[in-house]
Amino acid sequence: MLEYEVQFTGKFAYSMVVPDCPNPGLDVDGVGRVALPLTDHTAKLIASAGDQAPYGHGMDTVVDTTVRDTIQIDASSFHFTNPKWAPVIQKWVEGKVWSKLGCAPFTSPPRCEPYKLLLYKPGAQ
């Protein structure tokens, strides 16, 4: 089993270390299965499959690698193949995350959906 730090963002942010978390079985289109921990070689493969990530600057969305040198991959281009991954994440979302983000008790279960995969280059964060 592995240990991952999972971050959820919205109006608020919450970060936690999830002990005994299964390997997600990350599969990136054009790269294949991504072994963890990430190696320099695999990071370069992921970078070649993605695009430069923009960031918000006032009312604009811009690309400036001196500010944010990060690669993004759209959620439609990566998948978690380990069937044990989603139930573990859903358990943590329902059990802790929604309340830590300041949400009222839910009437229907909250869900966690990938938005983008971000690869931060050294010094970019």
Side-chain angles (χ1 to χ4, degrees):
M1 294 299 235
L2 301 169
E3 186 173 276
Y4 291 95
E5 180 176 351
V6 180
Q7 296 182 356
F8 299 88
T9 58
K11 185 173 180 183
F12 301 97
Y14 174 62
S15 176
M16 67 183 171
V17 173
V18 179
D20 298 323
C21 195
N23 186 314
L26 176 61
D27 190 274
V28 177
D29 293 355
V31 176
R33 179 67 54 88
V34 175
L36 299 173
L38 193 61
T39 65
D40 287 341
H41 174 73
T42 306
K44 288 175 184 171
L45 291 174
I46 292 171
S48 69
D51 300 308
Q52 190 67 43
Y55 68 96
H57 182 70
M59 296 297 290
D60 298 321
T61 302
V62 298
V63 172
D64 182 349
T65 58
T66 64
V67 174
R68 185 180 190 198
D69 197 5
T70 304
I71 300 298
Q72 68 180 9
I73 296 178
D74 186 73
S76 64
S77 296
F78 68 91
H79 313 280
F80 300 114
T81 61
N82 185 345
K84 294 179 182 178
W85 176 252
V88 167
I89 296 301
Q90 188 64 31
K91 176 183 127 185
W92 284 98
V93 167
E94 290 179 10
K96 284 194 176 199
V97 174
W98 67 272
S99 64
K100 296 291 186 182
L101 290 176
C103 298
F106 57 85
T107 55
S108 62
R111 59 184 196 274
C112 180
E113 298 173 356
Y115 172 62
K116 291 181 182 178
L117 176 67
L118 298 177
L119 178 64
Y120 291 92
K121 293 184 179 178
Q125 182 69 350

